[in-house]
Amino acid sequence: MQALLSFENAPPFAAPLRFFLTAPAFGVLGGVLLAWFGADIMASRWMPATLALTHLITVGFMLQIMLGALIQILPVVAGANLPRPLLLARVVNVGLSLGTLLLAGGFLHSHPSLLAAGAGVLGLTACIFLGSAALALRGVPTTSPTIRGLKLAMLGLGGVVGLGLILALALVFGWNIPLLQLVDLHAAWGFAGWGGVLLAAVAFVVVPMFQLTPGYPARPSWWFPRVILGVLMLWTLAVLARWPAVIALCQAAAALVGTAFALLTMRLQSLRRRARPDVTYRYWQLGLVAAIFALIMLFTAAVSPAIVDNPRWTIAFGVILMAGAFIPFIIGMIYKIVPFLAWLHLQNCGQAKVPAPAMNKLLPDSEMQAQWRSYLVAFVLLALACLFPEWFARVSGVAFAVANAWLMLTLLRAIRRYRQHTVLILEKLAAR
Amino acid sequence: MNHPKTPHVVDARYMEPPEPFVQTMEMLDRLQPGERMLLLLFREPHPLYKILRQNGHDYETELTADGTFEILISR
């Protein structure tokens, strides 16, 4: 019976781990950049350092963990087996890391060839991942909202990467394109079409599973990914046809649909059967509150566009959406995925003869709580920096770097314990 | 717990992994030939599906309005 727990579909632990450990390094780098440039970085979204920082976080941190986690969970949540997952993990991890550094360097130094190289490497890496995912998902019937969401999120990734490539080439070759509208569209495909749809698809599974909440009702779950992708396609058409009113309408619709999802998740969390709020719950609570706040800002900007003339508005929106919502969702999930995988691999290592240690022995709650507090401090300082950049920008950068370094340290400790237990289990097996 | 589809039910909707898997396999061991069991979950258990197929069990899944996946498994 226990032998059946061995799950041969799961890729080796090293496959997702390399992403989980690389991502905080980009978080540290982002924090250092903010600490270095201080208030200048918060003056406008168009500053070279701001563009560099945005991509260090969105690609270096967020996309890194999202793709790493997908390599791990596609077989589990969709029954889709990626071909050669360890090789894919290596290629994608290196491609994302190199591409992000080149792209950020290109932005920072306004260096066209670095920018083009970064965009090219990231484009190629995304194509490799999307090709593998398409192979894995081909023939997988859409039997759940999660599978539909995963499939449509891949379109979202294609959209954000494609638009990113067009924008990079336009900057390098000086093409005459509606830059502002295309950058907004690039961000919309990234945050809503890729990040939002992927988050929802995964949340449909992990929120009830890890937080012991009721399930997401079926009908809105089926519709959410479709509505978001539909809105983005209309938004794209409106940019091409230069219909500003339709663009604003799409922006408002995306904000409302996203808010509905966040409120539904909050409602489910309020009905959870786990009495004690754990770290994942706290991270998700912050993420949901911040997401709703950011989406209200997005809605406000859609109905009164003059508000975004104030550069602080856009910066605050970005900070709340990324540092307040997406990163907390991601860290919250990492703190469930890593101990569970460590436990699963130890369980398999023990061959049903030597039991694996409990998950909280591998990654104790106290260590995660300490890191969570450091992240909360960083986020509060970042939010204050949006209001008073001269006072808080540098210190918030330092705090953000510390919280990310702490995350890496916490994960490294868990991996060290995992390795120690692997040796112990192998010794016990040998002694039998 | 009784269910219109079968009296043999594992309601795993508020259980943490790997408990749903363990309880399902234990109930399958207890079933008589020809009997069927129902697993209730808020997700589709793809790893379990694979093991069921390997062990020659038939199963059919229905997603209900409240987000419950009802997985009816034959012995």
Side-chain angles (χ1 to χ4, degrees), chain A residues 234-246:
Chain A
L234 183 60
W235 188 332
T236 308
L237 183 68
V239 170
L240 292 174
R242 298 178 193 241
W243 297 331
V246 178

PDB file of all heavy atoms in Angstrom, chain A residues 234-246:
ATOM      1  N   LEU A 234      -9.926  41.380 -26.870  1.00  0.00           N
ATOM      2  CA  LEU A 234     -10.635  42.607 -27.262  1.00  0.00           C
ATOM      3  C   LEU A 234      -9.738  43.827 -27.043  1.00  0.00           C
ATOM      4  O   LEU A 234      -9.694  44.752 -27.866  1.00  0.00           O
ATOM      5  CB  LEU A 234     -11.929  42.727 -26.444  1.00  0.00           C
ATOM      6  CG  LEU A 234     -12.825  43.914 -26.789  1.00  0.00           C
ATOM      7  CD1 LEU A 234     -13.281  43.850 -28.243  1.00  0.00           C
ATOM      8  CD2 LEU A 234     -14.047  43.954 -25.866  1.00  0.00           C
ATOM      9  N   TRP A 235      -9.019  43.826 -25.919  1.00  0.00           N
ATOM     10  CA  TRP A 235      -8.094  44.922 -25.583  1.00  0.00           C
ATOM     11  C   TRP A 235      -7.031  45.061 -26.693  1.00  0.00           C
ATOM     12  O   TRP A 235      -6.726  46.159 -27.156  1.00  0.00           O
ATOM     13  CB  TRP A 235      -7.441  44.614 -24.230  1.00  0.00           C
ATOM     14  CG  TRP A 235      -6.599  45.680 -23.603  1.00  0.00           C
ATOM     15  CD1 TRP A 235      -5.897  46.663 -24.241  1.00  0.00           C
ATOM     16  CD2 TRP A 235      -6.350  45.855 -22.207  1.00  0.00           C
ATOM     17  NE1 TRP A 235      -5.224  47.440 -23.315  1.00  0.00           N
ATOM     18  CE2 TRP A 235      -5.496  46.963 -22.064  1.00  0.00           C
ATOM     19  CE3 TRP A 235      -6.759  45.177 -21.062  1.00  0.00           C
ATOM     20  CZ2 TRP A 235      -5.038  47.411 -20.818  1.00  0.00           C
ATOM     21  CZ3 TRP A 235      -6.311  45.617 -19.822  1.00  0.00           C
ATOM     22  CH2 TRP A 235      -5.458  46.726 -19.697  1.00  0.00           C
ATOM     23  N   THR A 236      -6.506  43.905 -27.129  1.00  0.00           N
ATOM     24  CA  THR A 236      -5.488  43.910 -28.192  1.00  0.00           C
ATOM     25  C   THR A 236      -6.067  44.497 -29.480  1.00  0.00           C
ATOM     26  O   THR A 236      -5.440  45.348 -30.128  1.00  0.00           O
ATOM     27  CB  THR A 236      -4.997  42.465 -28.446  1.00  0.00           C
ATOM     28  OG1 THR A 236      -4.617  41.893 -27.199  1.00  0.00           O
ATOM     29  CG2 THR A 236      -3.815  42.442 -29.400  1.00  0.00           C
ATOM     30  N   LEU A 237      -7.273  44.050 -29.807  1.00  0.00           N
ATOM     31  CA  LEU A 237      -7.941  44.564 -31.008  1.00  0.00           C
ATOM     32  C   LEU A 237      -8.132  46.082 -30.890  1.00  0.00           C
ATOM     33  O   LEU A 237      -7.912  46.830 -31.856  1.00  0.00           O
ATOM     34  CB  LEU A 237      -9.297  43.854 -31.164  1.00  0.00           C
ATOM     35  CG  LEU A 237     -10.112  44.197 -32.402  1.00  0.00           C
ATOM     36  CD1 LEU A 237      -9.414  43.672 -33.651  1.00  0.00           C
ATOM     37  CD2 LEU A 237     -11.520  43.597 -32.301  1.00  0.00           C
ATOM     38  N   ALA A 238      -8.530  46.526 -29.693  1.00  0.00           N
ATOM     39  CA  ALA A 238      -8.786  47.956 -29.479  1.00  0.00           C
ATOM     40  C   ALA A 238      -7.503  48.778 -29.622  1.00  0.00           C
ATOM     41  O   ALA A 238      -7.531  49.904 -30.119  1.00  0.00           O
ATOM     42  CB  ALA A 238      -9.402  48.163 -28.097  1.00  0.00           C
ATOM     43  N   VAL A 239      -6.369  48.194 -29.197  1.00  0.00           N
ATOM     44  CA  VAL A 239      -5.092  48.908 -29.368  1.00  0.00           C
ATOM     45  C   VAL A 239      -4.760  49.016 -30.860  1.00  0.00           C
ATOM     46  O   VAL A 239      -4.382  50.081 -31.356  1.00  0.00           O
ATOM     47  CB  VAL A 239      -3.952  48.196 -28.594  1.00  0.00           C
ATOM     48  CG1 VAL A 239      -2.589  48.773 -28.971  1.00  0.00           C
ATOM     49  CG2 VAL A 239      -4.168  48.323 -27.088  1.00  0.00           C
ATOM     50  N   LEU A 240      -4.950  47.899 -31.575  1.00  0.00           N
ATOM     51  CA  LEU A 240      -4.641  47.900 -33.019  1.00  0.00           C
ATOM     52  C   LEU A 240      -5.559  48.872 -33.769  1.00  0.00           C
ATOM     53  O   LEU A 240      -5.117  49.581 -34.681  1.00  0.00           O
ATOM     54  CB  LEU A 240      -4.797  46.481 -33.585  1.00  0.00           C
ATOM     55  CG  LEU A 240      -3.772  45.462 -33.089  1.00  0.00           C
ATOM     56  CD1 LEU A 240      -4.107  44.068 -33.595  1.00  0.00           C
ATOM     57  CD2 LEU A 240      -2.360  45.854 -33.521  1.00  0.00           C
ATOM     58  N   ALA A 241      -6.829  48.896 -33.365  1.00  0.00           N
ATOM     59  CA  ALA A 241      -7.803  49.747 -34.065  1.00  0.00           C
ATOM     60  C   ALA A 241      -7.852  51.161 -33.497  1.00  0.00           C
ATOM     61  O   ALA A 241      -8.588  52.001 -34.006  1.00  0.00           O
ATOM     62  CB  ALA A 241      -9.185  49.101 -33.977  1.00  0.00           C
ATOM     63  N   ARG A 242      -7.090  51.407 -32.446  1.00  0.00           N
ATOM     64  CA  ARG A 242      -7.056  52.720 -31.761  1.00  0.00           C
ATOM     65  C   ARG A 242      -8.449  53.155 -31.299  1.00  0.00           C
ATOM     66  O   ARG A 242      -8.970  54.186 -31.707  1.00  0.00           O
ATOM     67  CB  ARG A 242      -6.427  53.774 -32.673  1.00  0.00           C
ATOM     68  CG  ARG A 242      -5.000  53.377 -32.977  1.00  0.00           C
ATOM     69  CD  ARG A 242      -4.284  54.318 -33.904  1.00  0.00           C
ATOM     70  NE  ARG A 242      -3.063  53.670 -34.350  1.00  0.00           N
ATOM     71  CZ  ARG A 242      -1.830  54.120 -34.134  1.00  0.00           C
ATOM     72  NH1 ARG A 242      -1.645  55.240 -33.481  1.00  0.00           N
ATOM     73  NH2 ARG A 242      -0.795  53.473 -34.556  1.00  0.00           N
ATOM     74  N   TRP A 243      -9.029  52.292 -30.429  1.00  0.00           N
ATOM     75  CA  TRP A 243     -10.320  52.607 -29.807  1.00  0.00           C
ATOM     76  C   TRP A 243     -10.073  52.846 -28.314  1.00  0.00           C
ATOM     77  O   TRP A 243     -10.158  51.902 -27.522  1.00  0.00           O
ATOM     78  CB  TRP A 243     -11.299  51.432 -29.932  1.00  0.00           C
ATOM     79  CG  TRP A 243     -11.692  51.058 -31.328  1.00  0.00           C
ATOM     80  CD1 TRP A 243     -11.773  51.868 -32.422  1.00  0.00           C
ATOM     81  CD2 TRP A 243     -12.087  49.737 -31.782  1.00  0.00           C
ATOM     82  NE1 TRP A 243     -12.184  51.164 -33.511  1.00  0.00           N
ATOM     83  CE2 TRP A 243     -12.382  49.855 -33.149  1.00  0.00           C
ATOM     84  CE3 TRP A 243     -12.220  48.505 -31.145  1.00  0.00           C
ATOM     85  CZ2 TRP A 243     -12.798  48.759 -33.911  1.00  0.00           C
ATOM     86  CZ3 TRP A 243     -12.631  47.422 -31.902  1.00  0.00           C
ATOM     87  CH2 TRP A 243     -12.921  47.545 -33.272  1.00  0.00           C
ATOM     88  N   PRO A 244      -9.771  54.061 -27.902  1.00  0.00           N
ATOM     89  CA  PRO A 244      -9.431  54.287 -26.490  1.00  0.00           C
ATOM     90  C   PRO A 244     -10.569  53.941 -25.524  1.00  0.00           C
ATOM     91  O   PRO A 244     -10.312  53.431 -24.426  1.00  0.00           O
ATOM     92  CB  PRO A 244      -9.094  55.780 -26.428  1.00  0.00           C
ATOM     93  CG  PRO A 244      -9.511  56.366 -27.736  1.00  0.00           C
ATOM     94  CD  PRO A 244      -9.639  55.269 -28.721  1.00  0.00           C
ATOM     95  N   ALA A 245     -11.806  54.161 -25.953  1.00  0.00           N
ATOM     96  CA  ALA A 245     -12.930  53.865 -25.043  1.00  0.00           C
ATOM     97  C   ALA A 245     -13.015  52.364 -24.781  1.00  0.00           C
ATOM     98  O   ALA A 245     -13.302  51.927 -23.654  1.00  0.00           O
ATOM     99  CB  ALA A 245     -14.232  54.377 -25.641  1.00  0.00           C
ATOM    100  N   VAL A 246     -12.748  51.556 -25.803  1.00  0.00           N
ATOM    101  CA  VAL A 246     -12.817  50.096 -25.634  1.00  0.00           C
ATOM    102  C   VAL A 246     -11.653  49.617 -24.756  1.00  0.00           C
ATOM    103  O   VAL A 246     -11.812  48.714 -23.938  1.00  0.00           O
ATOM    104  CB  VAL A 246     -12.812  49.387 -27.011  1.00  0.00           C
ATOM    105  CG1 VAL A 246     -12.846  47.872 -26.845  1.00  0.00           C
ATOM    106  CG2 VAL A 246     -13.997  49.846 -27.833  1.00  0.00           C
TER     107      VAL A 246
END
